[in-house]
Amino acid sequence: MRHIAIVGSGPAGYYTAEACQKQFGDDVRIDILDRMPVPFGLIRSGVAPDHQSIKAVARRYEGIALTDNVRFVGKLAVGSDIAISELIDFYDAVILATGAPFDRRLGIAGDDLPGVLGSAAFVGWYNGHPDHADLAPLIDGQDVAIVGNGNVALDCARILAKSAAEFEGSDIVRHALETLTGSRVRSITIVGRRGPHQIAMTPKELGELGHLASAHPVVDPADMPPVESDQVLEPGPRKSVALLREFAAHPVGQGVPVRFDFFAAPVRIEGDRRAQALVVERTVLGADGAAVGTGETYAIPAGLIISCIGYRTPPIPDVPYDEKAGRFANVDGRISPGLYCVGWARRGPTGTIGTNKPDGFLIAEEIAKDQPEPGGKPGRAGLDAVIEARGLDIVTFRDWQKIDLAEIERARTGAPREKFVRVDDMVAASRAS
Ligand code: NAP
């Protein structure tokens, strides 16, 4: 029997489990470990609460979780509850699918002032991740600056701009709903260090900004390159740029302005005890497409500044780490004999949820090549002995199903669930009879 441990129960973890099932058939046992008592990682804590159709993919992961040769072991932290070397002793292959839940910092003066947040923290807060439940972002009628021109910047802007009615049908957690709708923002500026042709926003997500009940997008026509130059773009980006052109043609609308400020690179954050302005430098595009500063600076008033500039994978003791890239050091997913990585932990925070699928198949094939035969390791028996000896209070998939049911039962009217935002409450729900 081949024993595989997958660390992380998000999309990369479950697609890899599925790929290993297909690769090794009945000859495999897979344990999926997670430090949280609840599975599905980014689906639960990253995907926007008003994007329920994307979250529906969790049903597929549930199907994998309920097969006989797959087990979920929640509330087990690899690196502290159990060492990576122990897992390597127990399993033929250990696959790190830990995602990238840490923020990349802006790295400019003032980025530690109150009022400055990374998107992992802000998104984690409105999605009810226990690590960020106490964040209390300073929204209180502020001007907001959002740094970055990717889909996460759009998620943050949209969530800040929505009215209470527009959250109907979402699973935004109560504390975020109350804060967001109790104190509306005055303006939102989405700051991009390059131009409209360089955005990483996809058309569906960008288009949503044009359909908000009490906010409207604003684009300065002067920032748009000549329309003929759109021909060089791939179809997806071309659609996004066409939307920016529509926004530029209709600058006036209802409610909160969501301004796109292009060619503006963050320089420093100013403020007395809390953020008050983001100072940016006007840029132009260099020959290589990079942003080049012009020396001209100006201040964008902002009491809340959210950087959406990418993520980092949390290091694990004794696992080689690429500091610059912010992920595990690996070659095509191989870290060291018996140790692999997939998803954002392998390639950094790019691509959609589906991008993790081929990743999983690739690593299953690599494992088959590296270890044509299983090595007679103890697998889950070894892990269970450690759990017992250390008195670790783990959560199983059946336990999660109880948490799931309890969250559905306590949902406010029209919402699919009301998430527990404390680990203790999750565990208590899992232990209820
Ligand atoms: P992203 O797409 O890589 O965008 C990051 C943005 O940050 C880029 O515009 C980048 O500009 C900018 N940036 C980086 N460093 C910067 C700095 N020091 N100063 C100013 N700007 C800086 O990342 P993301 O938005 O975090 O999204 C991560 C992945 O998740 C993406 O693949 C995204 O499509 C996906 N996602 C998808 C959805 C969805 O499908 N609904 C929702 C959320 C996220 P440059 O281009 O100049 O580097």
Side-chain angles (χ1 to χ4, degrees):
M1 182 63 64
R2 187 183 296 266
H3 296 285
I4 292 179
I6 297 173
V7 184
S9 67
Y14 274 105
Y15 283 128
T16 302
E18 189 178 37
C20 289
Q21 285 180 320
K22 293 211 168 117
Q23 180 77 39
F24 302 115
D26 289 338
D27 187 33
V28 69
R29 292 277 173 280
I30 303 164
D31 281 353
I32 301 183
L33 321 180
D34 204 297
R35 73 185 179 93
M36 283 292 134
V38 290
F40 307 143
L42 191 84
I43 301 298
R44 180 178 168 100
S45 310
V47 172
D50 57 345
H51 282 174
Q52 288 296 314
S53 58
I54 299 179
K55 286 179 190 265
V57 73
R59 290 278 157 250
R60 177 178 178 148
Y61 306 152
E62 192 177 60
I64 302 163
L66 291 171
T67 47
D68 285 345
N69 59 356
V70 173
R71 181 174 78 150
F72 173 72
V73 184
K75 204 164 158 287
L76 183 85
V78 173
S80 51
D81 289 332
I82 188 161
I84 201 80
S85 57
E86 293 175 295
L87 288 182
I88 292 171
D89 283 346
F90 298 152
Y91 293 88
D92 295 291
V94 177
I95 306 167
L96 304 177
T98 45
F102 284 8
D103 278 308
R104 271 191 59 217
R105 283 190 69 163
L106 273 169
I108 56 175
D111 72 356
D112 53 352
L113 278 169
V116 184
L117 301 176
S119 52
F122 185 64
V123 171
W125 170 75
Y126 64 62
N127 270 330
H129 192 291
D131 287 355
H132 305 293
D134 295 320
L135 187 72
L138 300 168
I139 292 172
D140 52 0
Q142 290 298 321
D143 296 308
V144 181
I146 295 177
V147 181
N149 272 179
N151 281 331
V152 171
L154 286 176
D155 279 349
C156 292
R158 191 181 67 256
I159 294 296
L160 281 163
K162 276 197 163 180
S163 60
E166 290 174 288
F167 284 113
E168 173 130 15
S170 82
D171 67 348
I172 189 164
V173 290
R174 192 183 308 273
H175 65 228
L177 184 64
E178 285 171 359
T179 305
L180 287 164
T181 56
S183 172
R184 300 199 49 72
V185 300
R186 198 159 40 201
S187 72
I188 299 170
T189 305
I190 300 178
V191 180
R193 62 181 171 183
R194 299 192 291 157
H197 271 196
Q198 286 74 41
I199 59 171
M201 298 165 168
T202 44
K204 180 180 161 288
E205 284 65 29
L206 185 57
E208 285 176 82
L209 268 199
H211 299 282
L212 296 174
S214 46
H216 64 281
V218 181
V219 172
D220 182 349
D223 283 338
M224 298 304 297
V227 70
E228 314 80 70
S229 62
D230 293 359
Q231 294 311 316
V232 300
L233 300 172
E234 297 288 328
R238 203 183 312 149
K239 272 192 201 156
S240 294
V241 171
L243 283 163
L244 290 177
R245 292 192 187 283
E246 272 178 38
F247 297 162
H250 303 102
V252 188
Q254 299 258 322
V256 179
V258 183
R259 283 194 198 90
F260 285 79
D261 198 342
F262 292 112
F263 303 107
V267 174
R268 67 180 175 277
I269 292 161
E270 293 180 341
D272 179 19
R273 288 192 290 270
R274 68 175 277 187
Q276 286 168 317
L278 173 68
V279 177
V280 294
E281 180 178 13
R282 180 59 73 215
T283 65
V284 290
L285 277 186
D288 61 352
V292 180
T294 62
E296 178 199 342
T297 61
Y298 58 96
I300 300 169
L304 176 64
I305 297 170
I306 305 172
S307 64
C308 307
I309 60 166
Y311 297 118
R312 295 170 64 80
T313 294
I316 295 177
D318 304 323
V319 178
Y321 191 78
D322 180 341
E323 272 299 331
K324 195 159 169 268
R327 52 174 163 70
F328 296 118
N330 73 91
V331 178
D332 295 334
R334 287 188 179 87
I335 299 176
S336 56
L339 185 60
Y340 304 84
C341 55
V342 288
W344 285 8
R346 170 171 91 88
R347 61 190 153 78
T350 57
T352 62
I353 288 160
T355 315
N356 293 300
K357 216 174 154 192
D359 254 36
F361 279 95
L362 182 94
I363 227 63
E365 282 168 18
E366 307 275 326
I367 293 169
K369 268 190 246 153
D370 291 350
Q371 309 168 42
E373 295 301 326
K377 295 204 175 187
R380 57 181 61 164
L383 177 65
D384 288 350
V386 167
I387 290 170
E388 169 130 24
R390 293 182 193 159
L392 299 171
D393 185 23
I394 58 138
V395 168
T396 65
F397 203 79
R398 294 258 171 262
D399 295 334
W400 149 247
Q401 288 178 310
K402 283 193 190 173
I403 302 172
D404 189 25
L405 215 60
E407 289 188 338
I408 293 167
E409 273 171 6
R410 68 203 283 270
R412 58 184 180 274
T413 311
R417 68 178 61 243
E418 182 64 49
K419 288 179 199 163
F420 294 108
V421 304
R422 311 264 170 219
V423 168
D424 286 351
D425 293 339
M426 295 170 182
V427 174
S430 78
R431 305 294 181 237
S433 52

